[in-house]
Amino acid sequence: MMPFVGVCGCCGALRPRYKRLVDNIFPEDPEDGLVKANMEKLTFYALSAPEKLDRIGAYLSERLSRDVARHRYGYVCIAMEALDQLLMACHCQSINLFVESFLKMVRKLLEADKPNLQILGTNSFVKFANIEEDTPSYHRSYDFFVSRFSEMCHSSYEDPDIRTKIRMAGIKGLQGVVRKTVNDELQANIWDPQHMDKIVPSLLFNLQLTDSRVRSPSPLQSSKKEKESPAELTERCFRELLGRAAYGNIKNAVTPVLMHLDNHSLWEGKTFAVRCFKIIMYSIQSQHSHLVIQQLLGHLDANSKSSATVRAGIVEVLLEAAAIAASGSVGPTVLEVFNTLLRHLRLSVDYELTGSYECTNIGTKIIKEHEERQLQEAVIRTIGSFANTLPTYQRSEVMLFIMGKIPIPGMHPTLPSTGSGPEGNRMIQVMLLKSLRQVTCGFQTTNMLTALPNSFLDPLLSFALQEDAEIRLLVLEILVSLIDRHDNLPKFSTISIISDISVLKLKVDKCSRQDNLFMKKHAQHLYRHIYLCCKEQSSVRPHFEKLYSLLALISMELANEEVVVDLIRVALALQDLALSSEEMLPVYNRCAVHALSSAYLNLISQLTTVPAFCQHVHEVIEMRQKESPYLLPEDVFIENPKIPKTLEKLEGELLFQQAKITEVLGGSGYNTERLATPYVPQFTDEDRLSKRKSIGETISLQVEVESRNSPEKEEVNENIKIYNTHRHIWLCSPVDSVGVEEQEKERRRQVVEKFQKAPFEEIAAHCGARATMLQSKLNQIFEITIRPPPSPSGTITSSYGQTQSRSVPVYEMKFPDLCVY
């Protein structure tokens, strides 16, 4: 019996059919390749008897292992080709056991030392990854493949061509793992940090190596070899990975990117970091963009003690990411984004002022001032980039939020983190105003009254009272950006006399009701700050150019008939300011104010389209061109101004005449009474908010109400009948009270000027006299209240012939019927 068994074991005809079919696909000479006819028989057998598929796989695996050990690599390739064809053809329920044998063979090839075997195994795995299986697998693991493919991505093989092939095979393998596992809930989660910490750095490593190489100018011009380079393959794989990331997986995918850039000091160069996050922002779903922004902001906080170049690199990446993500970039926490950026801006200012900061790892670190300045500029640009993605109502909130961060004397407290006194506050003011300028750039709203409330405009305009020229210029730039809603600003960037403004192609719309309400509420504040800015001796060419732009844009955007009249009055007041010898303005400033006034009157005269007004302005300008060109912008606002050393007294035809302008505009229906009244800026509580507040200004504000009854100005009228008559006339009269208001403003100005310039002794004596006068008037009032009413019987006479006064309580006094109502 035993010999018979031995004969059966040696007889090939008695072997299992699947083994004979497998053996038949291998030729005698491996160079001949797979026997296709026999391979078709094996495939038909596997499809007819799917229960044998796992045994076929096990036997093929056994042969492949033996061939690998014997270095018969030709048969190894044939075995892998057979496995690939069986995988592509069979999708039965028994394929899971066959796949285990297949993955075992792939693992055997990847563990080999020969690069060709590693590449062969990778190619087979990629084909397998593209197959959609009909049945789920509960026990399959891809941990080995993630680790091995990541290792191949970092290959350091000596031959550069082979090294490139190995790295590309590793990238393809990682791509296959992602495709096979990312949508299979039964598989190990590929988004776990343990896997992402291997996959993402491996991709970035290859992306980084090729980023510095010279790349083809366009895909159309690149060769086929370049298209198959690791750079292109890596980027495609990275994009596919990010495109499959769901909401909860974004953090795990982005965190390894941040760590890789940290570990390899790639923030400082900016270029590669920006490229990485451009790929991320373009690849992920748009509704997830704000998650990336939040991670970058958190990483910026974590690197608050890092060098300025590192922080600047993160901010630059934020800038690019915000521009790509558009409206979805900020997400639900709008103000938190700006709060983080403003906090780092303030922190950078603190570092710059102190010159160093304490670092936990390396102790005290010295600050490079120019690096901090670059960081500050980057933060400001990023704030503007984020603001551009917001709708109008949210941008208004951000403007208010930034304004609330600016230290304003008397309004907002000094920032506690700034320990360098006034200079620190000034730098914070400048940086935050620059941020505000970026936010307001391109800001457009149909209702300025709601978009620019008092809580924003009042502190902003208070900065126009600052002595610092840079701060005043920033305020003017912000105002110009806010008012310019039709992109007219570039047409008024320089001051010049334009003979025909039609060439500018200005966009002028009719002033809306909301704009009228806005100007009714804020016009006087705007005029006042324009006037006061011209009075500043530190104002230079950029200030006057922005003032001209501001006047012109108010005329374009917010002007009605009343506003036009007031603007003309302001321009004429500026001319009077330049003529006044009391202001002690330098010659350049006087010429500049004259030039500003002439340029604006030339513009507004053409906008009003009143021929006589245009003729008068044209005549004055022609006379100045002949006799005094230094009063026109063409000779003043140039690199080397052509101005005299001293300015002689101007009069006659060289000046714009208020009476003449009033006459010609009155004929066109303008308010002649208002036009004839010289403009005088009113002093308000905003002076109290200014850093340059003086003792005289403080006293004048305190006594302003008392000054209305000043003994120098008017005497107290004790005639009650006359007082009531005047009061009745004032209440019932429909006549415009502009003249009375202007006289009152002029009287206030004189009182304030007296307290500013008079010696202290005189002010003290004046206040003492006022106190004595007040007490005297109070005594008179008390005497009136206790004096008996006149009686038909006359006065009461005592027995000695003297008049006797008796005190009568008020409630016992008898009043005539006509006085009771």
Side-chain angles (χ1 to χ4, degrees):
M1 192 68 182
M2 292 299 294
F4 181 77
V5 174
V7 172
C8 291
C10 297
C11 182
L14 298 178
R15 298 182 65 203
R17 186 180 178 188
Y18 72 89
K19 287 188 177 182
R20 286 186 278 117
L21 291 174
V22 169
D23 291 336
N24 291 338
I25 66 174
F26 291 94
E28 294 182 3
D29 186 359
E31 293 184 1
D32 294 338
L34 182 68
V35 180
K36 294 182 179 181
N38 294 335
M39 185 63 214
E40 291 177 358
K41 294 179 182 179
L42 177 62
T43 303
F44 179 78
Y45 176 78
L47 292 173
S48 302
E51 68 277 4
K52 300 292 185 179
L53 191 59
D54 57 330
R55 298 185 184 183
I56 295 174
Y59 184 60
L60 276 172
S61 176
E62 178 184 344
R63 287 205 55 155
L64 184 139
S65 300
R66 184 169 61 248
D67 292 334
V68 169
R70 296 176 180 176
H71 304 288
R72 297 192 296 187
Y73 300 126
Y75 289 120
V76 171
C77 294
I78 293 174
M80 291 307 302
E81 185 178 354
L83 284 169
D84 293 342
Q85 292 190 24
L86 287 174
L87 276 175
M88 297 297 294
C90 303
H91 294 279
C92 62
Q93 295 182 355
S94 302
I95 196 174
N96 280 332
L97 296 177
F98 176 75
V99 168
E100 291 302 321
S101 300
F102 169 78
L103 293 178
K104 182 179 180 182
M105 286 183 281
V106 173
R107 186 181 299 113
K108 187 73 174 177
L109 294 179
L110 293 177
E111 289 175 345
D113 296 333
K114 298 291 183 179
N116 291 337
L117 295 183
Q118 298 175 12
I119 296 172
L120 178 63
T122 302
N123 292 336
S124 294
F125 182 85
V126 171
K127 294 177 183 178
F128 160 70
N130 292 327
I131 297 175
E132 295 184 4
E133 299 181 47
D134 297 333
T135 55
S137 175
Y138 296 91
H139 55 278
R140 196 180 301 163
S141 174
Y142 294 96
D143 293 355
F144 167 80
F145 296 100
V146 172
S147 300
R148 182 56 184 156
F149 289 140
S150 299
E151 184 180 349
M152 291 170 64
C153 289
H154 292 83
S155 174
S156 56
Y157 200 83
E158 295 180 358
D159 190 332
D161 292 335
I162 297 178
R163 181 171 65 240
T164 300
K165 291 179 180 180
I166 295 175
R167 289 180 177 177
M168 290 183 65
I171 296 168
K172 291 178 181 178
L174 291 176
Q175 188 178 28
V177 172
V178 171
R179 288 179 179 175
K180 200 64 181 175
T181 61
V182 72
N183 294 324
D184 192 348
E185 296 179 357
L186 300 175
Q187 300 297 336
N189 191 357
I190 197 67
W191 301 106
D192 286 344
Q194 59 178 346
H195 299 309
M196 285 290 105
D197 290 345
K198 297 175 183 177
I199 295 175
V200 174
S202 300
L203 297 177
L204 295 180
F205 173 76
N206 286 276
L207 200 63
Q208 176 188 351
L209 289 179
T210 56
D211 188 66
S212 58
R213 296 181 182 177
V214 178
R215 301 167 65 187
S216 58
S218 68
L220 296 176
Q221 299 175 2
S222 59
S223 62
K224 183 177 179 180
K225 182 178 181 180
E226 177 65 18
K227 289 181 180 179
E228 295 296 325
S229 68
E232 299 290 338
L233 182 62
T234 302
E235 184 172 336
R236 186 166 62 251
C237 179
F238 194 32
R239 289 182 184 276
E240 182 178 343
L241 172 67
L242 295 166
R244 296 173 180 268
Y247 180 86
N249 302 326
I250 296 294
K251 182 178 180 180
N252 289 344
V254 175
T255 300
V257 179
L258 299 174
M259 299 304 297
H260 181 84
L261 297 175
D262 284 342
N263 295 335
H264 296 273
S265 302
L266 296 174
W267 292 112
E268 299 179 4
K270 301 178 186 178
T271 305
F272 180 71
V274 168
R275 183 187 177 196
C276 286
F277 276 90
K278 278 186 175 181
I279 294 174
I280 293 174
M281 298 304 292
Y282 279 122
S283 301
I284 62 174
Q285 301 177 42
S286 59
Q287 64 268 27
H288 302 158
S289 299
H290 69 277
L291 297 176
V292 180
I293 301 296
Q294 290 176 2
Q295 276 195 267
L296 282 169
L297 290 170
H299 198 66
L300 182 60
D301 286 336
N303 284 272
S304 60
K305 296 289 186 180
S306 300
S307 65
T309 53
V310 171
R311 286 177 282 140
I314 300 175
V315 172
E316 288 285 351
V317 171
L318 272 168
L319 173 64
E320 296 291 339
I324 294 171
S327 59
S329 64
V330 178
T333 57
V334 176
L335 295 182
E336 184 59 31
V337 172
F338 290 93
N339 188 39
T340 301
L341 293 172
L342 292 176
R343 183 171 64 250
H344 283 277
L345 182 62
R346 187 177 66 184
L347 195 64
S348 177
V349 172
D350 290 343
Y351 289 164
E352 181 182 349
L353 291 171
T354 56
S356 63
Y357 62 86
E358 295 294 330
C359 189
T360 55
N361 297 329
I362 59 176
T364 303
K365 187 170 183 179
I366 304 300
I367 294 298
K368 295 181 180 179
E369 184 176 341
H370 70 280
E371 293 181 352
E372 292 294 339
R373 289 293 177 90
Q374 292 175 357
L375 168 62
Q376 293 160 13
E377 295 299 327
V379 172
I380 291 171
R381 289 196 306 273
T382 303
I383 289 174
S385 178
F386 274 105
N388 289 334
T389 67
L390 299 177
T392 301
Y393 74 94
Q394 281 189 326
R395 197 184 291 201
S396 298
E397 293 179 0
V398 172
M399 288 158 53
L400 280 170
F401 182 75
I402 296 176
M403 182 58 69
K405 296 286 185 179
I406 304 177
I408 303 176
M411 220 172 168
H412 299 157
T414 302
L415 295 176
S417 65
T418 304
S420 55
E423 178 60 22
N425 286 329
R426 181 198 168 276
M427 290 186 64
I428 288 293
Q429 289 173 345
V430 170
M431 291 302 166
L432 293 182
L433 284 174
K434 286 183 177 180
S435 303
L436 192 58
R437 181 183 60 184
Q438 287 291 106
V439 173
T440 57
C441 184
F443 177 78
Q444 293 186 354
T445 178
T446 55
N447 191 347
M448 296 191 69
L449 195 61
T450 56
L452 306 175
N454 288 344
S455 55
F456 174 80
L457 276 182
D458 289 347
L460 176 65
L461 292 177
S462 70
F463 281 107
L465 305 177
Q466 296 275 351
E467 289 182 341
D468 193 295
E470 184 179 5
I471 290 178
R472 293 201 313 275
L473 182 60
L474 287 171
V475 172
L476 291 174
E477 291 174 347
I478 292 170
L479 287 173
V480 166
S481 296
L482 292 173
I483 296 176
D484 182 29
R485 294 175 294 180
H486 294 87
D487 298 325
N488 288 319
L489 178 58
K491 302 164 187 176
F492 301 112
S493 58
T494 58
I495 308 179
S496 61
I497 302 295
I498 304 172
S499 58
D500 184 7
I501 63 171
S502 61
V503 299
L504 297 179
K505 297 180 180 180
L506 299 174
K507 300 176 183 177
V508 183
D509 285 344
K510 185 178 179 181
C511 191
S512 65
R513 179 175 176 272
Q514 291 83 1
D515 292 340
N516 287 332
L517 292 174
F518 176 81
M519 289 304 291
K520 187 174 182 179
K521 188 174 184 180
H522 298 292
Q524 295 302 322
H525 293 82
L526 292 172
Y527 305 153
R528 175 174 177 269
H529 286 87
I530 291 172
Y531 184 87
L532 293 178
C533 282
C534 291
K535 286 181 64 174
E536 291 291 340
Q537 297 185 10
S538 57
S539 294
V540 291
R541 177 181 173 183
H543 293 83
F544 292 108
E545 289 177 344
K546 289 303 175 184
L547 286 168
Y548 175 70
S549 299
L550 182 57
L551 286 167
L553 290 173
I554 293 176
S555 306
M556 299 288 104
E557 303 283 351
L558 306 170
N560 52 32
E561 183 176 318
E562 181 179 351
V563 172
V564 169
V565 169
D566 285 340
L567 288 171
I568 294 173
R569 292 171 59 223
V570 171
L572 294 173
L574 293 179
Q575 178 180 258
D576 295 339
L577 170 66
L579 293 172
S580 175
S581 58
E582 298 179 0
E583 300 298 338
M584 304 298 292
L585 288 176
V587 175
Y588 174 80
N589 292 61
R590 291 179 183 276
C591 295
V593 173
H594 274 298
L596 170 63
S597 177
S598 62
Y600 178 68
L601 286 173
N602 173 70
L603 173 67
I604 196 68
S605 65
Q606 297 185 58
L607 289 175
T608 57
T609 64
V610 178
F613 185 22
C614 296
Q615 180 66 24
H616 173 66
V617 173
H618 182 66
E619 289 174 355
V620 175
I621 291 175
E622 278 190 343
M623 187 59 64
R624 289 187 177 186
Q625 289 173 344
K626 294 177 181 178
E627 299 184 8
S628 305
Y630 50 84
L631 301 179
L632 296 175
E634 284 75 13
D635 278 17
V636 177
F637 301 114
I638 55 178
E639 186 174 353
N640 297 313
K642 302 175 183 179
I643 58 176
K645 294 182 179 179
T646 58
L647 194 62
E648 299 179 356
K649 186 176 181 180
L650 303 173
E651 56 186 13
E653 297 178 349
L654 292 175
L655 300 177
F656 301 98
Q657 303 298 327
Q658 186 160 5
K660 178 68 173 177
I661 295 175
T662 302
E663 178 185 350
V664 297
L665 289 179
S668 299
Y670 288 89
N671 189 335
T672 55
E673 184 177 356
R674 194 176 185 90
L675 273 169
T677 306
Y679 172 78
V680 179
Q682 54 180 316
F683 288 83
T684 66
D685 287 345
E686 285 178 308
D687 292 326
R688 178 174 54 83
L689 305 179
S690 174
K691 277 188 174 181
R692 52 191 182 88
K693 177 184 64 176
S694 66
I695 296 176
E697 288 173 317
T698 305
I699 296 175
S700 67
L701 289 169
Q702 292 173 349
V703 303
E704 183 177 353
V705 176
E706 298 178 8
S707 67
R708 297 176 181 177
N709 296 320
S710 174
E712 290 86 349
K713 299 297 178 182
E714 59 183 359
E715 295 294 330
V716 177
N717 191 349
E718 296 181 3
N719 192 322
I720 299 176
K721 183 177 179 181
I722 296 176
Y723 167 77
N724 287 335
T725 303
H726 288 180
R727 181 174 180 270
H728 177 74
I729 293 173
W730 179 78
L731 288 173
C732 299
S733 174
V735 180
D736 189 6
S737 59
V738 176
V740 178
E741 293 178 1
E742 295 298 336
Q743 292 175 5
E744 180 72 11
K745 294 175 184 177
E746 176 63 21
R747 186 185 55 75
R748 290 182 183 179
R749 187 189 67 79
Q750 293 175 358
V751 173
V752 171
E753 184 177 355
K754 176 179 179 180
F755 277 93
Q756 287 177 335
K757 298 181 179 180
F760 177 76
E761 293 78 7
E762 183 180 340
I763 295 175
H766 175 71
C767 292
R770 293 178 61 82
T772 304
M773 178 61 71
L774 176 61
Q775 185 62 43
S776 174
K777 296 303 177 184
L778 288 175
N779 291 336
Q780 292 180 25
I781 293 172
F782 293 148
E783 184 180 353
I784 291 173
T785 58
I786 63 175
R787 182 184 301 169
S791 173
S793 60
T795 59
I796 300 175
T797 306
S798 66
S799 56
Y800 302 100
Q802 295 178 350
T803 302
Q804 181 181 357
S805 298
R806 59 188 177 89
S807 177
V808 180
V810 175
Y811 56 84
E812 292 183 2
M813 294 177 65
K814 303 296 183 182
F815 293 94
D817 293 340
L818 292 177
C819 295
V820 180
Y821 58 93

